[in-house]
Amino acid sequence: TAEVLGEFVMIEELQQRAGAVIAGWCGSEAGAVAHCVAGAITMAIAAAIAGEDAAAIAALPDAGDRMRHVLLPAGHAVDYGHPIVQDIRLAGGVPRLVGNDHECSIARLEEALGTGDVACLLLVSSRLVRGAPLDLDAAVAAAHRHGVPAFIDGAAQDMRLPELLATGADLVFASGQKYLASPTAGLVAGSAQWVRAFRAQERGIGRAMKASKEAIVGLIAAIEERRGMDTGEWSRLQARKVSEFVERCASLAGIEAWAQADPSGMPFSRAHLRP
Ligand SMILES: *Cc1c(COP(=O)(O)O)cnc(C)c1O
């Protein structure tokens, strides 16, 4: 990252290289990098609205007479520092929530999907999602039955990208700056067709969400480091940290402390504290 700051690069070549590295790492057909996941969500929605039509891309967030509704389960309409539905609106999309905070059944989703949405946005998060867990495989399959692409925000799920891609999702997003420890970057993995439409937005609304050369290079380096990492050893280290922390907290008067497996399936447990 530091070395590339003083160099000129062709961003297109760097994006191509990063795309190949991402795909080779997580097993997707293609990959790309945006400034961060928030930007990646907006660019994906822009892709769903405008496709690769240059005039439509340049006109966003004015979607003209294009279809622009984006479906998401109500419990997935989270606030991770700002409302995720704003990422949809920024692209000219109109969020449409299905179900309620307690539940969004596949039947409800399927029913809603029949009404002409451009995309279905799903979220995987250990802490933010509300309500009963959604069967992601079934949700993605339902979207596809109606010809609607499915995008998964797995911002803190970089260790589960192959699993999330196995749902059949068209695009999956993960933050480079979370567990992957790269400079801030929105990693995008998915089908060649949707990554191409995604990257087409770089000439439109995505220009304000551009991945910097240093972030792209840093992300490539972080993926290389991750590939060399012994996950079992890393998990054991986390387990030791958590158990030491829990043990010390539990010794404080009036504090109940315990370890619990990460609910989304990341390979570590979390410390819970209750007064
Ligand atoms: C962190 C996070 C984001 C935002 O990711 P950035 O890369 O910081 O933009 C979006 N969604 C979820 C679920 C997150 O945890």
Side-chain angles (χ1 to χ4, degrees), residues 35-39 41 78 80 84 87 123-125 127-128 153-156 174-178 184-186:
H35 177 70
C36 63
V37 166
I41 295 170
V78 303
Y80 57 78
I84 194 169
D87 296 332
L123 185 106
V124 184
S125 162
R127 298 177 301 115
L128 296 173
D153 170 5
S175 301
Q177 76 276 13
K178 292 181 178 170
T184 295

Side-chain angles (χ1 to χ4, degrees), residues 10 16 99 123 129 135 140 167 235-236 239 257:
M10 300 298 289
Q16 297 269 355
L123 185 106
V129 172
D135 179 341
V140 172
T167 61
S235 284
R236 279 190 289 282

Side-chain angles (χ1 to χ4, degrees), residues 138-213:
V140 172
H144 287 171
R145 268 197 296 281
H146 293 274
V148 173
F151 306 143
I152 298 181
D153 170 5
Q157 304 287 319
D158 56 277
M159 292 176 173
R160 297 181 59 236
L161 283 175
E163 265 173 83
L164 298 181
L165 287 161
T167 61
D170 299 274
L171 293 174
V172 179
F173 319 117
S175 301
Q177 76 276 13
K178 292 181 178 170
Y179 299 99
L180 200 53
S182 86
T184 295
L187 181 160
V188 180
S191 70
Q193 177 203 336
W194 279 100
V195 168
R196 202 174 57 238
F198 179 92
R199 291 217 47 219
Q201 311 310 311
E202 289 166 4
R203 295 182 181 282
I205 204 164
R207 183 60 179 80
M209 296 140 201
K210 177 185 175 181
S212 64
K213 62 180 180 179

Side-chain angles (χ1 to χ4, degrees), residues 17-241:
R17 171 88 181 278
V21 169
I22 290 167
W25 173 49
C26 65
S28 61
E29 218 172 78
V33 190
H35 177 70
C36 63
V37 166
I41 295 170
T42 296
M43 288 174 69
I45 300 306
I49 294 171
E52 295 179 55
D53 181 318
I57 288 169
L60 291 182
D62 181 347
D65 53 9
R66 289 182 168 253
M67 295 198 327
R68 70 193 73 173
H69 284 90
V70 176
L71 209 60
L72 71 163
H76 292 199
V78 303
D79 188 315
Y80 57 78
H82 84 146
I84 194 169
V85 290
Q86 192 167 38
D87 296 332
I88 296 171
R89 290 201 180 98
L90 267 170
V94 178
R96 216 157 64 80
L97 306 190
V98 200
N100 55 43
D101 273 2
H102 304 293
E103 200 192 7
C104 169
S105 66
I106 296 298
R108 286 287 291 277
L109 194 67
E110 185 106 37
E111 203 183 316
L113 276 162
T115 51
D117 296 274
V118 292
C120 178
L121 180 62
L122 304 164
L123 185 106
V124 184
S125 162
S126 307
R127 298 177 301 115
L128 296 173
V129 172
R130 296 180 301 270
L134 179 72
D135 179 341
L136 284 178
D137 295 287
V140 172
H144 287 171
R145 268 197 296 281
H146 293 274
V148 173
F151 306 143
I152 298 181
D153 170 5
Q157 304 287 319
D158 56 277
M159 292 176 173
R160 297 181 59 236
L161 283 175
E163 265 173 83
L164 298 181
L165 287 161
T167 61
D170 299 274
L171 293 174
V172 179
F173 319 117
S175 301
Q177 76 276 13
K178 292 181 178 170
Y179 299 99
L180 200 53
S182 86
T184 295
L187 181 160
V188 180
S191 70
Q193 177 203 336
W194 279 100
V195 168
R196 202 174 57 238
F198 179 92
R199 291 217 47 219
Q201 311 310 311
E202 289 166 4
R203 295 182 181 282
I205 204 164
R207 183 60 179 80
M209 296 140 201
K210 177 185 175 181
S212 64
K213 62 180 180 179
E214 61 274 19
I216 302 174
V217 166
L219 182 69
I220 292 172
I223 290 173
E224 278 167 14
E225 245 184 62
R226 171 64 67 77
R227 292 188 85 142
M229 183 177 98
D230 179 341
T231 312
E233 179 55 29
W234 184 85
S235 284
R236 279 190 289 282
L237 211 71
Q238 307 310 310
R240 198 175 325 135
K241 264 199 261 184

